[in-house]
Amino acid sequence: MTVTWEESGWEQVAAGVGRCRLPVWDCTAGLVVGEGAVLLIDAGSSLAEGARLRTEAQALAGHRVTHLALTHPHFDHVLGAAALAGAEVYGAVGLDTALAHGRDELRADAVRHGLDPHVAEDAVDALIRPRHAVCGEWTLDLGGGRQVLLANVGPGHTAHDLVVLVPGDPEVVFCGDLVEESGEPQAGPDAVPSHWPAALDRLLELGGEDAAYVPGHGAVVDAAFVRAQRDALAARFGVS
């Protein structure tokens, strides 16, 4: 049985396109519904959160999630991925290697941020890596005339940043943590500050002035917000 966006608690951003803000870390997950195919963007911070997203996405779309795009390799975006069994998983080129060789740090980072150690252990042990590596751009056909563009615009927030563009009125851009609205963008040890402003330039070029930009954390923003954050990051890190 399908439900409406309002009934589900998800925010509809455009026709067939929505997102939810997950608890604790205010991480965004996105959903794009095609005709017979469904794309989920990011998978939450645990197997339980991934299962919740799977169930809610299926209720909204009327069929299972067929595709999963991971925007970057941080625990609050990837640790629920194993709950999406059977989905075709996409990430920026190099993400699979980062997840394969960074399991200990991924687990430690999740625990440092407050995730239960046993929950973190279970999710990391079950973690699935992307089967499809995006270098440049990749178009997904979700059926019914709905095509989605996956674009590797990084590095920036990490070395493996992927954004998702959904054509429509408005066009919707899922930015991952290249853009954050609920706080200052976080630059951890895996950030590439010298390239971050350029990644946002590319994101703005793809999305344009009238797009709705969905950050990895916080409320949906416009191009002016993204541009202001780009300039603030350039000043913060001393790059043009």
Side-chain angles (χ1 to χ4, degrees), residues 64-161:
R64 70 176 185 87
V65 173
T66 55
H67 300 74
L68 172 64
L70 300 175
T71 62
H72 63 287
H74 286 169
F75 82 93
D76 49 336
H77 296 258
V78 303
L79 286 187
L84 283 301
E88 295 290 330
V89 184
Y90 296 77
V93 66
L95 180 64
D96 57 341
T97 302
L99 293 177
H101 296 293
R103 287 174 177 252
D104 290 342
E105 177 53 32
L106 191 63
R107 182 188 300 107
D109 190 46
V111 172
R112 276 196 302 269
H113 282 85
L115 193 64
D116 178 272
H118 298 293
V119 172
E121 185 80 24
D122 288 346
V124 170
D125 284 348
L127 187 62
I128 56 176
R129 289 150 46 197
R131 179 181 173 189
H132 306 287
V134 180
C135 179
E137 298 175 1
W138 188 313
T139 300
L140 290 180
D141 189 344
L142 300 181
R146 166 140 278 168
Q147 292 189 326
V148 174
L149 181 70
L150 309 181
N152 182 343
V153 300
H157 176 65
T158 71
H160 312 288
D161 291 313

Side-chain angles (χ1 to χ4, degrees), residues 170-189:
E171 179 165 273
V172 180
V173 184
F174 290 93
C175 308
D177 286 4
L178 284 167
V179 179
E180 296 191 41
E181 184 275 337
S182 55
E184 185 176 78
Q186 298 301 300

Side-chain angles (χ1 to χ4, degrees), residues 210-229:
D210 299 323
Y213 292 87
V214 182
H217 302 265
V220 177
V221 299
D222 59 14
F225 180 96
V226 176
R227 189 170 293 105
Q229 193 157 92

